[in-house]
Amino acid sequence: MTSHDRPTTDASADHSSTPPASGAGEDADGRAVTEAALFEAFGGVRGMVETVLPGLLFVTIYTINKDLHLSAIAALAVALVMAAVRLVRKDTVKHAFSGVFGVAFGVVFAMMTGNAKDFYLPGMLYTLGLALAYILTTLAGVPLIGLILGPVFKENLSWRTRNPGRKKAYAKASWAWGLILLAKCAILFPLYWWANTSQLGWVLIALKIPPFLLAVYLTWVFLAKAPPPIDVFAEMEAKEKEAEQAEEERKVLSRVADDLSQGITPEAVAERPAEGPRHRR
């Protein structure tokens, strides 16, 4: 029976059982690794909740009763509780503690000035500083997003000199983060002067997640198309193994040289019964 005489069901079965091309599989693996790394670096859903909840609680309470002290204490308390939960569960605490420090600075500012809007000022200044850091480090040739994600991908700073395609992707991602955060600041700072506390708070809450998700998505797009990271840790392990093998070979050659210096021929060495491992003195 020729190929043209085969039933169509066999053809479909052949296609369904054919494994995907290695290139497609590598692309899928690379995208999965990138997604996992971004999820780890930026805290995922739980990190977003820990970022939003204290500010949401502050603006909700203040909108209802205009009590600065109660709003500030409630926001700080919920941030501390979330950090404590992470400590008890032995989870990564960097996102929770960054939220605690941000809320604490906001509480201090608001209490010192008596102006409830100052609760948001440290976070706004931090956002502005971070936007400038993304842009300036990219202009300097060391994009900040690469410094953040390099250890997560186990490539450290190898992308700077050994992986130009990846460095270009990190530069694009850093530009995206910087410009998105600058646009956010362009909305918030005028509101800080013109709007009341509740208006500023609700706009700030609304702008917490969407710009962040947009920046993370663009980072994923740029890195998914970039060359894979160079695993410097695997390279170090390989070099250590090579060094160990070279040391073993050196010891063997040294033993042969000792035997020859004592007049023992290689044939005599081969005829000797096998010796057990030599004990180190």
Side-chain angles (χ1 to χ4, degrees), residues 13-193:
D14 290 342
H15 285 295
S16 62
S17 61
T18 302
S22 59
E26 291 176 359
D27 289 343
D29 291 342
R31 289 171 183 264
V33 170
T34 300
E35 290 174 7
L38 291 175
F39 191 89
E40 177 184 345
F42 298 115
V45 175
R46 186 173 179 181
M48 288 188 287
V49 171
E50 291 171 342
T51 301
V52 172
L53 190 56
L56 178 61
L57 190 60
F58 178 90
V59 69
T60 300
I61 295 176
Y62 190 84
T63 300
I64 294 173
N65 59 18
K66 299 296 188 293
D67 189 330
L68 170 59
H69 291 79
L70 179 60
S71 303
I73 292 173
L76 184 58
V78 73
L80 289 171
V81 167
M82 290 188 294
V85 170
R86 279 190 176 266
L87 283 174
V88 171
R89 298 182 58 178
K90 297 181 180 179
D91 294 334
T92 304
V93 297
K94 60 181 180 180
H95 301 290
F97 276 127
S98 64
V100 169
F101 289 131
V103 173
F105 278 118
V107 169
V108 170
F109 267 59
M111 293 295 187
M112 288 177 59
T113 63
N115 184 355
K117 283 196 293 187
D118 288 340
F119 173 80
Y120 304 109
L121 186 58
M124 293 166 56
L125 293 174
Y126 173 78
T127 300
L128 178 59
L130 191 59
L132 295 176
Y134 276 117
I135 293 173
L136 294 177
T137 54
T138 305
L139 292 175
V142 193
L144 180 59
I145 198 69
L147 300 178
I148 295 172
L149 296 180
V152 178
F153 284 110
K154 299 181 180 180
E155 61 181 336
N156 287 349
L157 296 178
S158 62
W159 50 268
R160 288 194 61 199
T161 55
R162 300 173 56 192
N163 205 338
R166 199 155 182 88
K167 180 180 179 180
K168 184 177 181 181
Y170 280 138
K172 289 181 179 179
S174 290
W175 274 114
W177 278 91
L179 295 177
I180 288 171
L181 293 179
L182 277 182
K184 181 177 176 179
C185 291
I187 297 173
L188 293 178
F189 276 96
L191 289 177
Y192 175 78
W193 297 107

Side-chain angles (χ1 to χ4, degrees), residues 27 30-31 34 165-166 169 172 219-228:
D27 289 343
R31 289 171 183 264
T34 300
R166 199 155 182 88
K172 289 181 179 179
T219 302
W220 178 81
V221 169
F222 296 139
L223 292 182
K225 296 179 180 179

